[in-house]
Amino acid sequence: MTRLFNDPAAFADEALEGFTAAHRRWVRPVTGGVVRATATPAGQVAVVIGGGSGHYPAFSGLVGRGLAHGAAVGNVFASPSARQIHSVATAAHAGGGVLLMYGNYAGDVLHFGQAAERLAADGVETRTFAVADDISSAGPEESAKRRGIAGDLPVFKAAAAAAEQGLPLEEVLRVAERAGARTRSFGIAFSGCTLPGADHPLFTVPEARMAVGLGIHGEPGIGEEALPTADEAARLLVETLLKELPEDVADPAGQRAAVILNGLGSVKYEELFVVYRRVAALLGDAGVEIVDPEVGELVTSFDMAGISLTLTWLDDRLEELWRAPADTPAYRKGALDAAGPDPDRASATAAAQDTAVPAAPVVPAASDASRGAADTVLAALDAVARVVDAHADELGRIDAVAGDGDHGIGMRRGSTAAHRAAADAHVLGAGAGTVLTRAADAWADKAGGTSGALWGTILRSLGTALGDRDAPDAARVADGVAEASAAVRRLGGAEVGDKTMVDVLVPFADALAAATAEDLPLADAWDRAATTATAAAAGTADLLPRRGRARPHAEKSLGTPDAGAHSLALITRAVHGALLDHH
């Protein structure tokens, strides 16, 4: 378990602070993550990677020459926010455009996509690529739904090496696509991981059993089998991967492959070597030529006891890129000429960071009526933060049934930050709309992950609807909630029945609209809608997830409500209390 920490909510930030202090030769800190401490040639494509904390050496440990130009680092098991990614990419950009790379998880897809839009608005040519190598998370016919695990490394490496060669952005992206299409991973676990501050692991494996098809966020495996010997584990990993070859590889015999045997956190190196000796023999028997194998901890999951095997099927070009030298805190290969720090870019980075936040906390002008409504908004956000804090552990337990167990942590960070930002804006005389939009940005930034992006969208939609000019009436609030519902569905792609927060948000919005159409006062209309939300959240226990990290573990979640749906229902009821108090 994770034993050494201070405030669990500060763990990711403090870990990043310590990492940068220990590795100043390679990296320097910027808002949201790290970038190279050494000079990048002008015009070179910047490869910016990222994801949640808890996976070291991914992602910050892979920043350096020959690999990433920067890494955006999110909270524990949660994607970095769009603001963090934008900040890191801006600092890493050397004039040749930016390729954003990440594992294929909903939160990462949302936040990296939003960051790409912001970079494009800044005039920075940007592309994105999601690694999807885990064959256990979806079948070949749905390979785009697969999650990214240890296959991140060879795909990141290929793209970064291409960028080092001076290739333009579109060609670097094509290299990433080629490497991604030829990379497959599969893993097993013997115990789950324990998040900082938790007193139990996210999942357990029965004695003398193993979980098959693990993720890297503490998700349980797809199935269970008897605990194998080292040789039996090697055979399972190799045979599973050899059953699914890239489309242009008909037979493994005569093929070359980059091979990674990855430890998830608690399996010792000696154990990995025992397994790898058999992996190498089995691949040799199949006629596969192994190229520069890696055995060690490369993409971890805190203290999870597990291993994964990754094969990247190489052609001449991919082999050249895989063999290319790299020098990062956690991954080194070959030899590179010495490179000094880049004081010019360091100064430019500092200036860019300074402009990321307004020098003075000004707010738009607002009417007295809107500032009065902001009192109620602030009270509602305080109620939200309090109810989330009270139920954070419960939300984590629900989320851990088939997911990664971080929902309570993320919601606590997001709601607390939103209330703080709203209070700051309120003190400055902001109207209801601005209070909500400031809260939206803070929630998305501090929470990260899918829930951070979606709650930022909800609050921003409400803020836009309420505005700063008038005291909002019940109909305007209902319109804002309806727009929030539509925006969440557009952004996340989920619909009613997918076992997500949408299963609560849509009926809540519909019930609120119907109640306000009857001219009910806002508090009464909200009460009715909150009752609908509570029933809808309970109903998600009977659904099978069709989206998100719980999707591969659909059967495990049956009988348990969706964590996002449950937290939304709790929030709607807490807000009703605030509306009554400020009626």
Side-chain angles (χ1 to χ4, degrees), residues 5 28 31 143 195 222 280 284 297 309 328 368 393 421 436 453 456 481 520 522 525 562:
F5 54 88
R28 67 173 185 271
T31 300
S143 59
L195 300 182
I222 305 301
E297 294 183 347
L309 181 66
T328 78
D368 290 341
D393 291 344
L436 278 165
V481 172
L520 288 179
L522 178 58
D562 176 71

Side-chain angles (χ1 to χ4, degrees), residues 19 23 25-27 49 56-68 150 152-158 160-161 258-260 262 269 291-299 318-336:
F19 166 77
H23 296 293
R25 170 186 155 191
W26 292 275
V27 300
I49 64 176
Y56 190 84
F59 295 87
S60 55
L62 303 179
V63 174
R65 291 191 301 154
L67 238 163
D152 284 353
L153 174 59
V155 182
F156 293 167
K157 176 71 168 56
V259 179
I260 298 173
N262 177 60
Y269 272 67
V291 179
D292 283 4
E294 296 286 347
V295 179
E297 294 183 347
L298 295 161
V299 181
L318 289 178
E319 180 175 350
E320 174 193 2
L321 299 171
W322 175 241
R323 290 186 181 273
D327 184 25
T328 78
Y331 184 87
R332 299 165 205 170
K333 176 181 287 189
L336 288 162

Side-chain angles (χ1 to χ4, degrees), residues 8 82 147 149 185 213 309 472 490 555:
R147 56 196 174 192
I149 52 174
S185 298
L309 181 66
R490 287 195 302 269
E555 296 297 334

Side-chain angles (χ1 to χ4, degrees), residues 63-287:
V63 174
R65 291 191 301 154
L67 238 163
H69 296 74
V73 182
N75 299 321
V76 174
F77 291 173
S79 70
S81 70
R83 177 177 175 270
Q84 289 176 295
I85 300 161
H86 177 269
S87 169
V88 173
T90 299
H93 183 227
V98 173
L99 175 60
L100 301 176
M101 302 187 71
Y102 46 92
N104 189 31
Y105 298 91
D108 295 283
V109 172
L110 291 177
H111 286 288
F112 277 91
Q114 290 174 339
E117 293 174 356
R118 296 184 189 183
L119 289 164
D122 294 343
V124 177
E125 190 176 8
T126 307
R127 300 291 184 271
T128 65
F129 185 78
V131 181
D133 58 301
D134 177 22
I135 67 171
S136 68
S137 54
E141 69 285 354
E142 293 185 305
S143 59
K145 294 182 179 180
R146 288 176 169 172
R147 56 196 174 192
I149 52 174
D152 284 353
L153 174 59
V155 182
F156 293 167
K157 176 71 168 56
E164 291 283 356
Q165 294 177 348
L167 296 183
L169 180 58
E170 290 299 334
E171 291 188 36
V172 174
L173 174 60
R174 280 196 289 272
V175 166
E177 292 170 341
R178 176 70 169 167
R182 284 177 151 246
T183 299
R184 307 284 189 276
S185 298
F186 182 71
I188 57 178
F190 317 108
S191 71
C193 63
T194 305
L195 300 182
D199 57 5
H200 58 276
L202 292 178
F203 72 92
T204 58
V205 180
E207 190 74 21
R209 304 283 290 176
M210 70 173 175
V212 177
L214 59 91
I216 58 168
H217 297 95
E219 307 100 320
I222 305 301
E224 283 184 8
E225 294 186 12
L227 186 67
T229 64
D231 284 359
E232 289 168 345
R235 182 173 295 278
L236 173 64
L237 295 171
V238 171
E239 290 183 349
T240 301
L241 289 180
L242 291 184
K243 289 176 182 176
E244 187 186 318
L245 302 173
E247 291 183 0
D248 55 351
V249 176
D251 190 313
Q255 298 294 327
R256 292 161 289 169
V259 179
I260 298 173
L261 184 63
N262 177 60
L264 271 294
S266 289
V267 176
K268 307 306 294 182
Y269 272 67
E270 287 87 348
E271 295 175 89
L272 292 173
F273 292 138
V274 171
V275 175
Y276 183 73
R277 53 174 271 288
R278 189 59 181 156
V279 166
L282 290 168
L283 289 173
D285 291 345

